[in-house]
Amino acid sequence: EYFHAWWVKRVKPAMFVPYDLSRETYTTLLWVFEGFTSFYDEKLVHEAGLVTSQAYARALSESLTQHMSCTARLRQSLAESSFDAWIKYYKPDGNRPNAVVSYYVKGGLVAMALDAHIRRMSKNERSLDDVLRYAYRQFVEAGSDYAGLDEDFIGELIWEATGVDVTDQLQAWVYGCEEPDYVQVLKSMGYGAKYETQSLVRSRLGVSVRADGVESVVTQVFDATAAQAAGLAAGDRLVALDNVRVEASKLEKMISRIPVDEPVSLYVFRGGILLPLVITMGAPRKDKIVVQTKKNGKKGR
C-alpha cells in the first residue's frame, strides 16, 4: 500500500483521471499497476535484505504454480482480465480458475519477465525500475495537468525510459495468451526451476476443497481433470470414495490408494440430494513449479 501511494494514486491510468468513485472505471492497465506492485512487493523486501533468497524463491514458486495451474490463461489475456475486472474478477465463483486470469499474479510475472528482458537487451544498464522512475517524473513535471497513462502507451513508456522495444513481448504476453519463458527468466535472475506434484486432491482428483467439520466440500473444479469428467461441481460434499466414507483429514491418503485409470464410485451430496458418480483418476500431475536458489548460495537479483 505504501508503494501504491505513488504508483496508482499518483501515476495512474488516464481512465482514472480524475477519480470518480461513484461508478465503475474500466481500463486495460490494471496488470501494469496491480501487477507491477505484485512484482515489487516481493522484490523490494528481498533486495532490502528483509527476506532470504530462499523465501523469495518460495514466493515466486507460489505465484508461478497458481498461474500455470489456471487454464483461463489459455483463453483470457492480461488486457482482457484487467478490463473485465468489474464483471469477472470481482465476482468469483467455483469456475474462476478456468475462466479468469489474475492480473495481479500474471501481471507480476510479466513484470518480472519484462524486467529480465530490459536488463538483457540493455546489457544490464536499464531495468523496470527505470520505467517506474520515468513515469513518476512525468507525473511530477506535469503537476496539476497530469493526464495519466493512455491505454496503449506502456510500450512507448518503456521505450522512452530504457531504449528497449517490447512491442512483441506486449503483444504476446499482454494482448495475447502466450507466456514468457519463465525458466529462462528465472535463470537470468540466478534461480532454477523444477516441476513437482501438488497435493493429490489437486493433481489427481482435480479440485480444491475446504473442511467443514469432518466433511470435505468442493470449492473449485479444474479444467481437464478427473473431477470435471466425472461431473463434480463446486459445493458438492464428498460422501464416499470407492465405497469408503470420505473424511477431510483422510482424503489425501484415500486418493493415494485409488488405482491409476481404474473407475471407482464417488458419492456426493448436492443440494441435499445424494448423487452417485464414477470417477477415473490418472497418475499425479507434476504441475507445481518449484523455484530453486543456486547451489552456491548466490542471491538472485
Side-chain angles (χ1 to χ4, degrees), residues 157-175:
L157 178 72
I158 292 174
W159 168 259
E160 291 179 359
T162 68
V164 175
D165 185 357
V166 295
T167 302
D168 291 343
Q169 287 70 30
L170 294 180
Q171 189 60 42
W173 304 341
V174 176
Y175 302 104

Side-chain angles (χ1 to χ4, degrees), residues 151-217:
E151 297 296 292
D152 58 354
F153 184 65
I154 188 64
E156 186 175 343
L157 178 72
I158 292 174
W159 168 259
E160 291 179 359
T162 68
V164 175
D165 185 357
V166 295
T167 302
D168 291 343
Q169 287 70 30
L170 294 180
Q171 189 60 42
W173 304 341
V174 176
Y175 302 104
C177 294
E178 296 180 38
E179 301 289 344
D181 185 340
Y182 294 118
V183 173
Q184 287 301 314
V185 170
L186 290 168
K187 183 178 179 181
S188 74
M189 296 168 61
Y191 292 96
K194 65 176 182 177
Y195 288 82
E196 293 183 354
T197 300
Q198 295 189 62
S199 71
L200 297 181
V201 172
R202 174 66 179 86
S203 65
R204 289 199 69 197
L205 185 57
V207 300
S208 60
V209 298
R210 64 175 175 84
D212 185 5
V214 298
E215 295 184 323
S216 289
V217 181

Side-chain angles (χ1 to χ4, degrees), residues 238-247 254 258 262-268 274-279 281:
L238 304 183
V239 178
L241 177 62
D242 198 21
N243 297 316
V244 178
R245 181 189 178 190
V246 173
E247 295 183 22
M254 291 180 68
I258 301 299
E262 181 176 308
V264 297
S265 62
L266 174 63
Y267 290 88
V268 303
L274 182 65
L275 295 179
L277 304 174
V278 175
I279 190 163
M281 288 183 271

Side-chain angles (χ1 to χ4, degrees), residues 46 53-54 57 183-193 290-301:
H46 173 239
S53 292
Q54 289 75 19
V183 173
Q184 287 301 314
V185 170
L186 290 168
K187 183 178 179 181
S188 74
M189 296 168 61
Y191 292 96
V290 179
V291 178
Q292 304 167 302
T293 56
K294 286 189 172 181
K295 292 182 179 179
N296 63 8
K298 180 181 178 181
K299 287 187 176 183
R301 264 194 291 99

Side-chain angles (χ1 to χ4, degrees), residues 78-296:
L78 257 184
E80 290 170 336
S81 174
S82 297
F83 192 82
D84 292 344
W86 289 103
I87 60 174
K88 291 185 178 180
Y89 191 83
Y90 295 146
K91 298 180 180 180
D93 57 28
N95 193 48
R96 180 169 171 169
N98 307 323
V100 180
V101 168
S102 170
Y103 51 80
Y104 288 91
V105 178
K106 187 179 180 181
L109 295 173
V110 166
M112 178 178 74
L114 287 172
D115 183 53
H117 178 72
I118 293 168
R119 289 176 185 271
R120 181 172 65 83
M121 297 304 293
S122 68
K123 294 182 170 49
N124 216 35
E125 292 183 358
R126 295 287 184 269
S127 72
L128 197 61
D129 300 358
D130 294 290
V131 178
L132 270 60
R133 293 189 191 102
Y134 182 77
Y136 185 69
R137 285 198 302 271
Q138 286 189 323
F139 161 77
V140 172
E141 291 170 2
S144 60
D145 294 326
Y146 182 68
L149 299 184
D150 289 335
E151 297 296 292
D152 58 354
F153 184 65
I154 188 64
E156 186 175 343
L157 178 72
I158 292 174
W159 168 259
E160 291 179 359
T162 68
V164 175
D165 185 357
V166 295
T167 302
D168 291 343
Q169 287 70 30
L170 294 180
Q171 189 60 42
W173 304 341
V174 176
Y175 302 104
C177 294
E178 296 180 38
E179 301 289 344
D181 185 340
Y182 294 118
V183 173
Q184 287 301 314
V185 170
L186 290 168
K187 183 178 179 181
S188 74
M189 296 168 61
Y191 292 96
K194 65 176 182 177
Y195 288 82
E196 293 183 354
T197 300
Q198 295 189 62
S199 71
L200 297 181
V201 172
R202 174 66 179 86
S203 65
R204 289 199 69 197
L205 185 57
V207 300
S208 60
V209 298
R210 64 175 175 84
D212 185 5
V214 298
E215 295 184 323
S216 289
V217 181
V218 175
T219 55
Q220 294 175 325
V221 178
F222 299 96
D223 271 346
T225 60
Q228 188 180 65
L232 273 171
D236 285 352
R237 291 179 175 270
L238 304 183
V239 178
L241 177 62
D242 198 21
N243 297 316
V244 178
R245 181 189 178 190
V246 173
E247 295 183 22
S249 61
K250 299 178 181 179
L251 181 57
E252 189 81 3
K253 184 176 291 186
M254 291 180 68
I255 294 173
S256 71
R257 295 171 179 167
I258 301 299
V260 172
D261 296 333
E262 181 176 308
V264 297
S265 62
L266 174 63
Y267 290 88
V268 303
F269 270 119
R270 182 180 299 169
I273 298 174
L274 182 65
L275 295 179
L277 304 174
V278 175
I279 190 163
T280 304
M281 288 183 271
R285 300 182 181 185
K286 290 189 174 182
D287 50 8
K288 178 180 180 180
I289 301 174
V290 179
V291 178
Q292 304 167 302
T293 56
K294 286 189 172 181
K295 292 182 179 179
N296 63 8

